[in-house]
Amino acid sequence: MAELQLKSHRFRTEREADWRRLESLLGRVQRNGATGLMPDELLEVPVLYRQALSSLSLARAVSLDQELILYLESLCARAYFFVYGVRSRPAERVTRFFTQDWPAAVRSLWCETLVSAAIGVVAALVGYFLVAQDPDWFNALMPGAMAQGRDPSATTDFLASTLHQKLSGHEALELLATFLFTHNSQTAIFAFALGFALCLPSAALIAFNGATIGAFLALFASRGLLAPAIGWLMIHGVTELFAITLAGAAGLSLGWAATFPGERTRLEAIGQAGRRGGLVMAGVIVMLFCAALLEGFARQLVQADLARYAIAAATAVAWGGYFYGPWRRRRP
Amino acid sequence: MKRPRIVLRPASGTFSFGGRPFVTPEGVDLGLTVGAYTERLAAFILDLLILLAALIAFTILTGLAAWAAKSRLFGEAATLIWLLGAFVLRNFYFIGFELRGGAATPGKRAMGLRLIARDGGRLTADAVFARNAMRELEIFLPASFIFARGAGVDGALIALGALWSLVFVVFPLFNRDRLRLGDIAAGTMVIKAPKTVLRRDLLQDAPATVGGVAFTQTQLDAYGIKELHVLEQVLRRGDRRTIAEVARRIRGKIAWDGPLDVTDQSFLAAYYSALRGRLEGQALLGRRRRDKYDRA
């Protein structure tokens, strides 16, 4: 039959088996992951992919069969994302994250981290002096739910008792820790995302957080309880505040890239800042998990002020050393 | 001497709406199509429903477990598991699925979408993380404004806030690649990745003649590539009434005087084969006839 001599038809019949083979291999990868293929099948994929690509170019030139071209386009795209989406094993990725990627991302944010910390410290000082001069400020700075009765009208004995709560039988420490963790993490993610709106909302969030702490400390200082209050706060606060500062820093870098992209295009700058921020934020969640453990367990179990200070100092040294210590880094 | 600029252009001509040049390192354009806003919205709503269903099922399950254990300790454990589970679901449902090989949540897969890195490189975990962290800004913020209640100045402020945050929701409509905020922050984009099947070639079971009578050159010159593709769709869909109508029109247009005792279906199949042979022959010689108005 003459029509079978059509070049596009012959072209298709000659190559169709290879396309089908590639399709079935990709289907198995999609169902079972790359482990679903034998080693020699895995090596087969890039070869078949390049064949399919050349088929696509050729088909565009010789064939007017629309379905064939659409099929090849979709097949090539699927194969492309498999061939070029090199993936390492999850365990390798996690190790790499903790040994290299995360500390490197945090270090590269040092400038934003300083700014973020400065905003928090200044806001804390402002909150402290406002409340120290006029206790009425306390109610303005502290959300009612967070105060839990710790306000200027409370007695000194009550305030002191909140710092050193004795364990009354079986208390749900795990529950407290979990609640704190989920709440803080959600807030931190929010602080990062808010940075996109040109830095200001992130900065406002950090400042508000700082002012709350300042007000809290001023209240306890007015009753001569400053030292135990700092111990109560810092046993987990070193980790938690550092994490929140980092989240704020990631948000600031995102907003900064959006506002002043420099020599890169705006899209490129935001993309880089966003990916780096994503790295930092994944780590911030880990930090907040540690903070919640310290807050939920260590703070309730360790009642001596000195021991609390010791734990706080130890965490500060550990985090500082981990991120900024003079370790030998392999270049990526 | 300046180096010549190389412009890569697919051989098949213009892009369809939402098409985007995406050239592989081998120099072939993959002809990707950007996922439409409506499709992505539908995918997101689907994901939200799945998430909600999972959360409800999870709540009932932990509730039942706590009730069955009838002990305070187990009750606390159940609450703890619920808190952690809800947190993981909320934050890692999207991240988890998008990090897998298919790079699509169940909702996206149902709508035939997938996630890619905009530069064509590897889709990294930090990008997926950043992309989904931004969801807080796009979904949570508008939602909190919408559900907030206030009177007087508060009400006006809330309304303004809602308006401001809605900017983020409709953001994808204002750029070519339908990027949402998270896509911009992560350097990703969502494309259509439908699974297409390759059916039989229409030429395979159709002779290019009707009852032994071939079409003449003039009869085959009546149409171009665009019409050929429409004819292909008509034949593949196989709707009898459309086929009858199209066959009637083509017979009229080419002034068909050959045998009339064949079915419309086989007449169209024959004409398709003959027309494709003719147009492909021309294309091989460097002349691609776009449509019926494209006269040499």
Side-chain angles (χ1 to χ4, degrees), chain A residues 6 8-9 12 20 49-50 60 64-67 74 80-81 84 86 174 178 186 193 254 271 274-275, chain B residues 26 29 80 91 116 120 122 126 130 134 136-137 185-186 196 198-199 201 203 229 232 236 276 280:
Chain A
L6 258 192
S8 67
H9 187 77
R12 174 174 165 168
R20 300 268 185 212
Y49 157 71
R50 293 201 171 91
R60 278 174 174 154
L64 293 179
D65 186 352
Q66 207 177 15
E67 195 178 83
S74 120
Y80 171 85
F81 291 118
Y84 285 94
V86 207
E174 311 88 345
T178 318
Q186 219 67 65
L254 194 59
R275 281 192 295 271
Chain B
E26 293 85 1
D29 184 84
L80 183 123
N91 288 291
I116 62 168
R122 187 157 70 101
D126 49 347
M134 284 297 144
E136 290 290 307
L137 196 62
T196 51
L198 185 58
R199 284 172 289 183
D201 196 337
L203 294 178
H229 286 163
E232 181 188 338
R236 292 217 191 262
R276 198 171 122 191
E280 280 179 358

Side-chain angles (χ1 to χ4, degrees), chain A residues 196 266-267 270, chain B residues 17-20 33-38 40 118 131 138 166-185 187-191:
Chain A
F196 199 94
R266 203 172 297 267
L267 225 54
I270 296 175
Chain B
F17 177 74
R20 184 185 193 282
T33 317
V34 176
Y37 186 68
T38 45
R40 295 183 57 183
R118 218 164 44 235
R131 172 175 204 282
E138 291 165 290
L166 273 181
V167 169
F168 301 133
V169 177
V170 294
F171 192 86
L173 287 175
F174 294 95
N175 62 74
R176 195 180 51 131
D177 286 343
R178 299 281 171 268
L179 304 177
R180 68 173 178 85
L181 241 52
D183 287 322
I184 289 184
T188 55
M189 66 188 280
V190 175
I191 57 156

